[in-house]
Amino acid sequence: MTDRAWFDAAKGDIPQWAASMPKDADGTTIDWDWVRSLDLAHGVGTIPESTPQSIHDALKVDYATRERLESIIAQCNSTFMTDFDRFIGSYRLPRALAYANRRLNDNIDTLLHLGEQQHLWVVSRERRGRATVAVLRPYSGSGPSNDDQGMLDLSGETGGASAGNTAAENSDVKFPTTVALDDIQDRTAAILDARAERRKAQRFQKRAGDAAMARANLSGATSPGGAASSGNATGHHPKPDWRDAYLPGRDVDAVMGIDIETTGIDPARDYIIDVGFEFMNMASPRPAGEPETYAYEQGYYAAGDAYGQSRLAFGVPPENAALGNTLIAKLTGIDVRGRSSEAGYRLFDEWPQAQAGLLARLTQQPYVAHNATFEHSWFMLNVAGYAESYRAGRITIIDTLPMSRQWDPGAVPTNEHPYGDNTLDAYAKRQGALDSAHNERHLGLEDSHIMLVAMKHHLAALKAQGKGPWGSTGRAGVGGKSCGRKR
């Protein structure tokens, strides 16, 4: 099936989604005819003329389009997972929407950069609530700097010529004297905060209803929610947490550890650029016949019991590469400026064979990640067939983050870390998988390796102590999180 055919097939699923999901994550009725009209394969962003007002108008349209798309994408997961009658057969429509939204986000970033080049505004990236957003302020060298005005003077009357005025002098285009900034501010943080408040209110209402039901049934002494935590050797007893569903069981053995590196934290906006995975047996001997050595980037890493190592590199669209990403380059050493598809790098969300190969590995045994909900969210919107396989119970996920949080004596709360220091770096060092003189590398394969070594060390210690999976609240079987079947 060609790429174009894949997008057409995704749109063919709209009737199923429309029947099951009339509203988006913000409670707005979805215009499915608008969704059907979008050219998901070739882009939904606006390419303007290089005039100040055109750039402003294009950015305003793109922001509005992104808000609509992302509110739909955000609702798809819960709708798909609670579709118990399996009326929606495929998750390809959310993947197609996310594909288009990533390119739209690149277009937005390009417009922001173009506006800076023309001195229309200054962009700063600021953490606000649950998101980091682009904040636009007037260009201080050309007009008023009062943020409250929300307008930028391009008349050049202050004496200094702006980039816009220079362009105007060399063309017949007459630029407007002002460009509004207040209507092109990134609303992502406000949207996410409002969405979180609605969820909080819904949870409060549900708890109140549960409490009322318990009182009516005279069962308040036993409900709700009282499973005891297994605690740890320090006497600190973490409260049960939703992440506990990802804890391993006492019979866990062959697993695949995986870690991904991305251009950001949002799977609907950013790209997977590095995937590393390897296999390790937690209980049985290492399979015979597997190569006994593997050269990691770090010479002080020893393969040990690991086998089947793989490192996969992926690219980004030319528009994304052109903008660069200094944060990711500093964190991982991967400079996206050299990862353009024009330089020969394949994009993961455009490579069906790579997705199929990864899915085959993810389904053949439990996969392990540190903060596994991160990997899971990216696979849902990037890997063809992953959502369907997960819903059908063919995927089991184990997370070493709750292992650190619940079972590691070193993960005690402090002022700096109220839930304990449960980063992969801290966990691996406490479990003897990473020397104190070195730090987590932030590359997929290397991080997968120290995670699995730490997990194996940790499980061996817990078994010897009769704790964790072997404690009173431990589970039989492989444990982990899966759907569609009983464990």
Side-chain angles (χ1 to χ4, degrees), residues 243-286:
R243 298 176 186 84
D244 295 352
Y246 294 86
L247 289 167
R250 64 180 66 100
D251 300 317
V252 65
D253 189 16
V255 298
M256 183 182 85
I258 189 166
D259 183 77
I260 64 175
E261 302 301 331
T262 62
T263 59
I265 62 173
D266 190 336
R269 293 187 183 182
D270 302 306
Y271 300 90
I272 295 175
I273 54 175
D274 182 76
V275 177
F277 59 82
E278 67 179 24
F279 300 83
M280 188 177 291
N281 296 348
M282 297 292 115
S284 63
R286 185 175 180 278

Side-chain angles (χ1 to χ4, degrees), residues 367-425:
Y367 79 80
V368 182
H370 195 79
N371 190 20
T373 54
F374 181 81
E375 275 74 13
H376 173 71
S377 66
W378 284 80
F379 295 156
M380 289 285 288
L381 290 178
N382 279 273
V383 179
Y386 177 89
E388 297 86 342
S389 295
Y390 178 71
R391 188 176 69 171
R394 293 192 291 271
I395 290 176
T396 299
I397 311 170
I398 294 173
D399 195 341
T400 51
L401 176 60
M403 287 183 64
S404 172
R405 192 169 179 175
Q406 297 287 6
W407 295 339
D408 189 334
V412 294
T414 64
N415 290 335
E416 184 178 1
H417 300 285
Y419 299 99
D421 189 350
N422 298 299
T423 62
L424 176 59
D425 184 87

Side-chain angles (χ1 to χ4, degrees), residues 127-143:
R127 187 72 185 181
R128 293 189 174 180
R130 289 168 172 80
T132 298
V133 298
V135 179
L136 305 188
R137 293 187 173 88
Y139 176 66
S140 60
S142 177

